[in-house]
Amino acid sequence: MQTAIDLNSDLGEGFGPWTMGDDEAILAVVTSANVACGGHAGDPGTMVETLTLARERGVVTGAHPGFADREGFGRRLIPLTVDEVEQLVATQVGALMGAAALAGAMIRYVKPHGALGNWAADDRSIANAIVRATRAVSPRLAILAISGTELEMAGREAGLSVFSEVFADRGYLATGRLVPRQREGAMIHDPGVAAQRLVEFLSTGLMPTIEGDPIKLEAHSICVHGDSSGALFMAGHIRSALESAGISVRPFLQFSERPSGG
């Protein structure tokens, strides 16, 4: 059985007077926070506030760059060129690092958001662009990637520290990719079902799919979406279930002694 795991959530996803989820409450449960960088969501005030809250609670923070598509919440594929993806990621990560300087926080890793992350999972040229952008901003930044993807391999080959994640509230295909949101089985709404699935996965390394046999995946972190209905209850229930099963919940950048890559 895997004895330690991180819980991460996508936070800072409001802007202006509009808020998304209860970030302050989620930060009391998770151990890593992926903070929006002004693309799919976020603005300077929201970034600084979220990073300050995370620092005060001892939560590790990473950059969550996505398509500049607030209307679609970064979940629509925008057909950018490879150069445009590289520029998008570098400028968003750099902006969040500036906000972190004001907040007295530190950005430790990069996790691409939504459609950008799914694109990088399958397209090596996009994965390479994200890795190049990350290295250009700071080669000390790690990559948090969907388990079993091109982004993992690109980061390893570039010598970056690479960590893998699975999703608490999303269904999986036999390919190891997430079930598209418009398909049945994409979302897991029952916290008990989600928690039991994760405990079994950490015991066996096998993730159930909607298409038959389970698949083998690696995980240093579990993502619980902060914007979903009942996110706080889901996150708290999962953490309690993991700890009851003897699994320590702590930041992946602390417990993992052998990340993939640099």
Side-chain angles (χ1 to χ4, degrees):
M1 171 179 281
Q2 188 168 330
T3 58
I5 196 70
D6 171 72
L7 282 182
N8 78 77
S9 191
D10 305 339
L11 303 180
E13 293 187 316
F15 54 88
W18 183 77
T19 59
M20 170 70 84
D22 189 345
D23 286 4
E24 187 169 3
I26 288 284
L27 283 167
V29 179
V30 301
T31 45
S32 296
N34 322 307
V35 182
C37 307
H40 71 285
D43 58 27
T46 302
M47 286 188 271
V48 172
E49 179 182 4
T50 306
L51 290 164
T52 300
L53 287 171
R55 174 182 56 77
E56 291 173 348
R57 286 154 181 74
V59 175
V60 174
T61 46
H64 200 37
F67 289 124
D69 176 30
R70 290 183 177 180
E71 295 82 1
F73 200 59
R75 288 177 176 160
R76 300 183 295 189
L77 180 61
I78 309 299
L80 302 181
T81 67
V82 169
D83 287 346
E84 287 170 336
V85 169
E86 190 172 349
Q87 293 159 9
L88 180 85
V89 172
T91 55
Q92 287 189 31
V93 174
L96 190 69
M97 292 180 76
L102 289 176
M106 182 178 293
I107 304 305
R108 302 288 304 281
Y109 64 92
V110 173
K111 171 189 167 179
H113 168 79
L116 179 61
N118 290 333
W119 197 10
D122 291 321
D123 190 317
R124 186 55 176 270
S125 67
I126 300 303
N128 286 338
I130 292 172
V131 167
R132 286 195 302 271
T134 299
R135 286 194 64 183
V137 175
S138 173
R140 294 185 178 183
L141 290 168
I143 294 286
L144 180 59
I146 300 171
S147 185
T149 59
E150 293 290 337
L151 183 57
E152 282 183 318
M153 292 184 282
R156 290 173 188 147
E157 290 187 6
L160 297 181
S161 293
V162 178
F163 299 87
S164 307
E165 71 170 345
V166 294
F167 290 78
D169 51 4
R170 295 294 307 277
Y172 278 84
L173 301 172
T175 60
R177 301 298 179 262
L178 300 177
V179 179
R181 286 178 177 267
Q182 67 272 20
R183 283 186 58 179
E184 184 178 352
M187 302 300 300
I188 298 171
H189 299 290
D190 186 324
V193 172
Q196 183 61 34
R197 183 183 74 151
L198 291 170
V199 170
E200 292 177 359
F201 165 71
L202 293 172
S203 299
T204 64
L206 297 174
M207 178 65 74
T209 74
I210 67 167
E211 297 174 317
D213 294 336
I215 54 173
K216 188 168 182 59
L217 294 175
E218 179 181 14
H220 304 96
S221 186
I222 296 167
C223 179
V224 180
H225 283 102
D227 65 309
S228 60
S229 176
L232 179 58
F233 184 75
M234 172 79 78
H237 187 85
I238 286 170
R239 177 159 187 161
S240 178
L242 293 172
E243 291 175 337
S244 295
I247 301 166
S248 174
V249 178
R250 46 200 168 113
F252 64 85
L253 283 166
Q254 291 180 7
F255 75 78
S256 180
E257 298 178 354
R258 294 181 294 175
S260 304

